[in-house]
Short mmCIF file of all heavy atoms in Angstrom, two decimals:
data_model
loop_
_atom_site.label_atom_id
_atom_site.label_comp_id
_atom_site.label_asym_id
_atom_site.label_seq_id
_atom_site.Cartn_x
_atom_site.Cartn_y
_atom_site.Cartn_z
N CYS O 573 8.17 -5.07 4.27
CA CYS O 573 6.88 -5.42 3.67
C CYS O 573 6.96 -6.87 3.19
O CYS O 573 7.87 -7.22 2.43
CB CYS O 573 6.56 -4.49 2.51
SG CYS O 573 5.08 -4.99 1.61
N ASN O 575 5.03 -8.23 1.21
CA ASN O 575 4.60 -8.35 -0.18
C ASN O 575 5.70 -7.93 -1.16
O ASN O 575 6.00 -8.65 -2.10
CB ASN O 575 3.35 -7.50 -0.42
CG ASN O 575 2.86 -7.59 -1.84
OD1 ASN O 575 2.60 -8.68 -2.34
ND2 ASN O 575 2.78 -6.46 -2.52
N CYS O 576 6.32 -6.75 -0.92
CA CYS O 576 7.26 -6.24 -1.93
C CYS O 576 8.69 -6.11 -1.41
O CYS O 576 9.60 -5.80 -2.17
CB CYS O 576 6.79 -4.90 -2.48
SG CYS O 576 6.97 -3.54 -1.31
N TYR O 578 9.86 -3.86 0.70
CA TYR O 578 10.20 -2.51 1.13
C TYR O 578 10.56 -2.54 2.62
O TYR O 578 9.85 -3.15 3.42
CB TYR O 578 8.99 -1.59 0.90
CG TYR O 578 9.17 -0.18 1.43
CD1 TYR O 578 9.79 0.79 0.66
CD2 TYR O 578 8.72 0.17 2.70
CE1 TYR O 578 9.95 2.08 1.14
CE2 TYR O 578 8.88 1.45 3.19
CZ TYR O 578 9.49 2.40 2.40
OH TYR O 578 9.66 3.66 2.89
N CYS O 587 2.02 0.24 3.05
CA CYS O 587 3.32 0.18 2.37
C CYS O 587 3.37 1.26 1.28
O CYS O 587 2.54 1.25 0.38
CB CYS O 587 3.55 -1.20 1.75
SG CYS O 587 5.08 -1.25 0.81
N SER O 589 5.40 1.54 -1.02
CA SER O 589 5.91 1.02 -2.29
C SER O 589 4.83 0.25 -3.05
O SER O 589 4.50 0.59 -4.18
CB SER O 589 7.12 0.13 -2.01
OG SER O 589 7.54 -0.47 -3.20
N CYS O 590 4.25 -0.79 -2.43
CA CYS O 590 3.26 -1.59 -3.16
C CYS O 590 1.83 -1.18 -2.82
O CYS O 590 0.88 -1.71 -3.40
CB CYS O 590 3.46 -3.08 -2.90
SG CYS O 590 3.05 -3.59 -1.22
N THR O 595 0.95 -5.03 5.48
CA THR O 595 1.85 -6.08 4.99
C THR O 595 3.23 -5.89 5.60
O THR O 595 4.11 -6.72 5.40
CB THR O 595 1.97 -6.04 3.45
OG1 THR O 595 2.26 -4.69 3.08
CG2 THR O 595 0.70 -6.49 2.78
ZN1 LIG Q 159 4.99 -3.39 -0.04
#
Side-chain angles (χ1 to χ4, degrees):
C573 174
N575 180 57
C576 73
Y578 174 86
C587 175
S589 175
C590 69
T595 50

